[in-house]
């Protein structure tokens, strides 16, 4: 478990290229993004979003083995493009039992399988914030080289077309460059 | 998602009968316990433990249907006995994938099945705190009438004998009366 704060302000290593409200309430524009460990609250900023790396909730052993074999870490020199996608899911999602959520998430929406297809080019880290006092349930951070930009658009388009995404009631798509 | 703070101090509706360190580091004695909504931090207290009701992590549809059919709520007039059992699980637990944890939790340890056997007498609510900046991973709150006290001892003894409990590296058992 490790807590991180994403800070939107006028300073930081990542510059916002675009901030799009996909679903629900928007988020203010900020010029730059910085990521810091811990829960910060006294920083001058336009917004701060907190999340924790936590444990996996749906991935099974065979899937994790395939992910670990194929994925690469964050911070690769060539990964000068990034996306931060905060999402919130509706009460109907959270009222489902574990097996029902897994059924929608993977059996019908192929969330893990789809992400696997874009590894290792598109690296990904999920932060959980539903149990924190935060406006979103998840923050997903992606890093990729410029040549994977078209593949990244394809990935988010595929995910947004799934049954799982019908449960998303707030989504912001923030694209970054460093 | 609802956040609660359990406050151990000299005031509150529940009086501590006993505080036992089952595993790992202890917790200071307090005379009374109060439960409040929200995350409190400026209260005079011996300790404060925070947790959120969150969503279920392992329960499947068929199991939830059986739980809902049999369980009764907290706050019943006759439930003058309670227990607060904060636990933490070790990294080996959290490093397992969802299917591996479910296998230990239910297929081999029968955690849900065992709890079901003691319903409706022993009412239970689970609070999650692993994603918060807290010393425990879970706080489980139990309420029962005095005549179910022996059954409650049996329930905790059965759970502590399971394979799941081998992953518990800190556990405090607090018994209360009102």
């Amino acid at each position: 478990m490790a807590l991180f704060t994403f800070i939107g302000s006028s300073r930081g290593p990542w510059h916002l290229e675009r901030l799009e409200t996909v679903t629900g309430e928007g988020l203010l524009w900020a010029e730059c993004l910085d990521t810091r460990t811990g829960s910060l609250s006294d920083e001058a900023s336009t917004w701060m979003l907190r999340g924790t790396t936590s444990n996996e909730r749906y991935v099974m052993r065979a899937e994790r083995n395939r992910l670990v074999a194929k994925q690469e870490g964050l911070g690769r020199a060539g990964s000068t493009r990034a996306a931060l996608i905060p999402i919130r899911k509706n009460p109907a999602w959270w009222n489902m039992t574990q097996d029902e959520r897994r059924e929608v998430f993977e059996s019908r929406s192929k969330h893990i399988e789809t992400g696997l297809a874009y590894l290792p080019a598109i690296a990904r880290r999920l932060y959980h914030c539903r149990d924190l006092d935060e406006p979103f349930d998840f923050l997903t951070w992606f890093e990729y080289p410029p040549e994977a930009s078209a593949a990244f658009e394809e990935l988010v388009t595929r995910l947004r077309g799934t049954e799982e995404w019908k449960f998303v009631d707030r989504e912001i798509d923030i694209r970054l460059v460093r």
Side-chain angles (χ1 to χ4, degrees), chain A:
Chain A
M1 209 283 282
L3 190 61
F4 290 85
T5 305
F6 291 88
I7 306 173
S9 76
S10 57
R11 292 178 303 134
W14 292 94
H15 290 254
L16 270 73
E17 277 197 318
R18 176 174 123 209
L19 184 155
E20 184 193 352
T21 302
V22 182
T23 307
E25 193 190 340
L27 190 71
L28 288 174
W29 173 260
E31 279 174 73
C32 299
L33 182 82
D34 196 3
T35 310
R36 307 266 285 276
T37 56
S39 178
L40 303 175
S41 56
D42 56 352
E43 296 288 307
S45 65
T46 306
W47 41 258
M48 289 194 283
L49 299 173
R50 295 165 199 83
T52 166
T53 49
S54 198
N55 57 290
E56 292 163 350
R57 308 292 163 91
Y58 301 105
V59 173
M60 296 193 180
R61 170 52 59 189
E63 292 159 348
R64 189 199 283 177
N65 290 346
R66 292 171 64 205
L67 288 165
V68 167
K70 224 182 150 191
Q71 74 195 1
E72 293 177 3
L74 300 179
R76 293 170 299 184
S79 292
T80 57
R81 297 293 178 277
L84 176 66
I85 306 191
I87 73 164
R88 189 182 65 195
K89 284 176 171 171
N90 66 21
W93 174 264
W94 295 112
N95 286 335
M96 286 196 287
T97 54
Q98 178 69 26
D99 54 329
E100 291 169 332
R101 278 182 275 109
R102 163 77 197 187
E103 174 75 18
V104 175
F105 180 86
E106 192 58 24
S107 308
R108 301 217 288 268
S109 301
K110 308 281 179 206
H111 191 132
I112 298 164
E113 195 66 35
T114 302
L116 260 165
Y118 296 88
L119 292 177
I122 299 169
R124 173 187 169 283
R125 185 183 282 168
L126 180 64
Y127 299 85
H128 295 260
C129 30
R130 177 168 150 80
D131 286 347
L132 312 181
D133 192 17
E134 286 287 311
F136 295 95
D137 291 339
F138 307 100
L139 311 172
T140 313
W141 175 259
F142 300 91
E143 277 181 20
Y144 49 93
E147 57 271 25
S149 296
F152 185 70
E153 294 303 328
E154 186 184 280
L155 169 59
V156 295
T157 301
R158 282 176 65 178
L159 287 173
R160 286 182 187 141
T162 62
E163 182 179 344
E164 184 194 352
W165 244 254
K166 298 192 198 317
F167 295 90
V168 172
D169 69 5
R170 188 177 180 194
E171 178 174 9
I172 312 289
D173 188 336
I174 304 170
R175 299 303 174 85
L176 307 123
V177 60
R178 67 162 186 209

